[in-house]
Amino acid sequence: MIKTLLLSEITDEKISQNTYELINIANEISDEVSLVILNFSDCKTLSKDFDKLYVDFIYVLTVPPLNTDKGIYNIDTFVISKFIESKNYDLILLSKTEYGSIVGPRVAFGNKKEYLSDCVAINLRENGFSITRPIYGGVANADYKIPPGISPIISFRPGLSLSSSDIKHPIIEEITFEYSCQQHVKMINEFNSMDENKIKLEDAKIIVSGGRGIGGELEFKELNKLVNLLGGALGASRAACDAGWVDHSYQIGLTGKTVSPDLYISVGISGASQHLAGCSMSRNIVAINNDKNANIFNVARFGVVGDWKSIVKSLISTIEDLNIR
Amino acid sequence: MTIQIAILAKQVLDTEIPSDQFKINENGNNLETKGNNSPIINGFDLNATEAALKLRDDGHDVNITVIMAGDGFFLDIIKKPLSMGADNLVLLQDESLVGCGSTFTVKALSSVIDKIGPFDIILAGRHASDFDNGHVPIGIAETINLPIITYASEIKIKNNHLMIKRITLNGYQIIETSFPCIITVSNEIGEPRYPNLRGIMTATKKNPKIFSFRDLGLDEQKEDLIQLERIFIPENNLNTEFITGEDESEIGRNLAIRLKEEGLI
């Protein structure tokens, strides 16, 4: 009997898409799936989603309102650690998001558990499990053997699975924790550079992404015309962000966001493995680049070789024509 | 008072070289390059070095010690942080540190820190570009019970406090913390400086202090609980359809038509 615990994430007061993906992954290899939800903001609307979650148990963990330093996920780390102390799971899974990349190893190393990050596959073995994770930015994959009885914490790359629409009525339990922490880590201020009104990169069905080949800040704005026309989101490679042409929050790749849109149009991006790690889960990749040997063509369904400016200009005018007709 | 800074650094293969230049090594536990490509110091670890040197630029009295764990070190390459301006280089050298699990790396580096510390600030790159994990500094922080601040793009010291600009997914945060702490550094901190001639000369004269497992009272590595079973290079079965045309204008038009046909736009 395989018992799996999932650590959920909440974005915009909703259970995140990544969490639904984890539920699917877990159900394929487990007999019993439990989900932990940390509800610090006392969100009342969350519970209406609970019946949509295909899990056996839901544990809603809360802490009384605090005036103490919340640090960088200090409370999350504390509460999850306390929770797992008294339980016994074969696997503990979470998403490899910014949150998961910090909370996962903190909980694991703080509780002397094994940790594996950024997995793309997990299989049940006669004795334990095996997982696959990309290394060297996706140049190669590594398989790891997990023996039974060690209860590892594993993060999964977002975008691996679709969410399920099956219904199962989970048993819900609320648990309150008293939080205490001696570490001095205080968030003084927080700034969001993404426009709240725009489609989020993580949610976009279409992404148009620019790289070093775009050439400058002004040129980057031209990509926005295509973005707006397609109702998508703008992305960028690390090179374009490092050059200061766009804010780093647009960055897609190992050091940025992981996306999996239906259509990913890459413009002037060479396709360094660090970038592909963030976009290779896209269902259809179009690569526009003037170098026919560029690495990006290895992952592209459609390849276009030539000067991006003229191509994008003509692409825009043709789409406008097609839309009118 | 001198601020003691440690930098955790790693020697890795240069991932900027084309991906078809990599192959699996003899032991099957790591990659190597086909040609004669020298390894590099993980780029983010040089960003961490730059972060430490910026504190010195700000007028703080800092002593910078670079700590590396691994084997098969290229001395002229791993001395780069010294030539940039770091003061000391400490190596933990053992064959079993290559391709080992992060649980063991955390234990080994924590022992080195315990042996040669204490440090006021421990810096590390946000992740190493070989196994792309980024959890070793977090693991050390939890092991030796220090606060961890990830993805720093700016570090300032004010009245014995640290003010850190921390990159988040959609912007940034300003975090205040105090000594001692562990900070991982992102590339947004700025390009690592080029070593000047004086730096290179100084680095040539410096020798790393080398520790073995025995020096640290570490046992020979027991088997990792989670074992690396194999490394493989995934096959690429994708047949790219190239969109052609007389000129770029026609190519763009054909692309639009093709995407429409496929129902993608």
Side-chain angles (χ1 to χ4, degrees), chain B:
Chain B
M1 185 202 79
T2 305
I3 300 167
Q4 296 293 337
I5 302 180
I7 295 166
L8 310 178
K10 190 175 186 186
Q11 177 181 296
V12 296
L13 298 181
D14 186 357
T15 47
E16 292 293 313
I17 65 169
S19 52
D20 59 6
Q21 287 301 302
F22 288 98
K23 62 175 183 176
I24 293 156
N25 73 1
E26 229 171 79
N27 298 332
N29 65 0
N30 210 332
L31 293 184
E32 59 186 24
T33 56
K34 288 174 184 166
N36 200 8
N37 299 292
S38 300
I40 55 166
I41 290 202
N42 177 45
F44 298 117
D45 301 343
L46 293 180
N47 291 126
T49 309
E50 177 62 27
L53 293 169
K54 279 194 163 121
L55 290 174
R56 179 177 285 159
D57 295 346
D58 288 346
H60 301 292
D61 176 16
V62 296
N63 183 53
I64 305 168
T65 302
V66 178
I67 303 172
M68 301 183 76
D71 197 23
F73 291 115
F74 283 61
L75 204 57
D76 51 336
I77 283 161
I78 60 170
K79 277 189 175 182
K80 185 164 182 187
L82 291 178
S83 55
M84 286 167 69
D87 302 288
N88 322 294
L89 177 61
V90 172
L91 305 179
L92 174 62
Q93 198 165 2
D94 195 282
E95 200 185 339
S96 62
L97 285 162
V98 178
C100 71
S102 44
T103 305
F104 189 70
T105 312
V106 166
K107 191 175 158 194
L109 283 170
S110 301
S111 307
V112 181
I113 291 165
D114 188 47
K115 175 94 179 174
I116 63 171
F119 294 100
D120 301 301
I121 309 172
I122 298 170
L123 299 175
R126 56 178 290 161
H127 66 251
S129 53
D130 49 3
F131 281 67
D132 299 329
N133 275 321
H135 55 240
V136 166
I138 302 177
I140 294 170
E142 290 298 321
T143 305
I144 61 179
N145 199 19
L146 292 184
I148 172 86
I149 292 94
T150 51
Y151 317 142
S153 69
E154 197 179 302
I155 303 170
K156 294 279 177 203
I157 300 173
K158 276 177 198 160
N159 312 324
N160 267 333
H161 278 75
L162 282 151
M163 297 297 269
I164 298 155
K165 186 173 171 186
R166 172 180 182 269
I167 298 281
T168 61
L169 221 43
N170 294 318
Y172 62 93
Q173 297 170 338
I174 304 294
I175 302 283
E176 181 195 275
T177 189
S178 42
F179 302 129
C181 65
I182 302 191
I183 306 168
T184 76
V185 176
S186 193
N187 49 289
E188 285 87 356
I189 202 118
E191 284 280 313
R193 63 196 61 190
Y194 285 105
N196 58 26
L197 196 60
R198 214 180 87 201
I200 295 167
M201 294 302 288
T202 315
T204 318
K205 287 183 213 134
K206 282 183 181 166
N207 283 316
K209 193 171 171 62
I210 303 175
F211 287 103
S212 68
F213 279 5
R214 190 183 296 171
D215 299 330
L216 300 175
L218 274 175
D219 295 335
E220 288 299 308
Q221 191 201 351
K222 296 192 183 67
E223 276 193 344
D224 286 323
L225 279 175
I226 292 182
Q227 276 177 31
L228 177 64
E229 205 166 44
R230 66 162 186 154
I231 286 179
F232 62 101
I233 294 175
E235 271 178 50
N236 182 8
N237 307 318
L238 192 68
N239 277 324
T240 308
E241 177 183 333
F242 280 91
I243 310 289
T244 53
E246 279 290 308
D247 55 12
E248 264 115 357
S249 160
E250 192 182 307
I251 297 174
R253 191 159 55 242
N254 290 343
L255 175 63
I257 293 165
R258 202 60 195 91
L259 293 177
K260 197 85 181 172
E261 277 172 6
E262 291 291 325
L264 293 170
I265 55 172

Side-chain angles (χ1 to χ4, degrees), chain A residues 276-304:
Chain A
L276 299 186
C279 71
S280 57
M281 312 288 282
S282 307
R283 281 171 261 289
N284 297 279
I285 297 179
V286 174
I288 303 174
N289 201 297
N290 58 8
D291 174 9
K292 66 175 177 14
N293 296 317
N295 200 37
I296 189 82
F297 291 118
N298 291 329
V299 297
R301 183 174 168 209
F302 296 104
V304 184

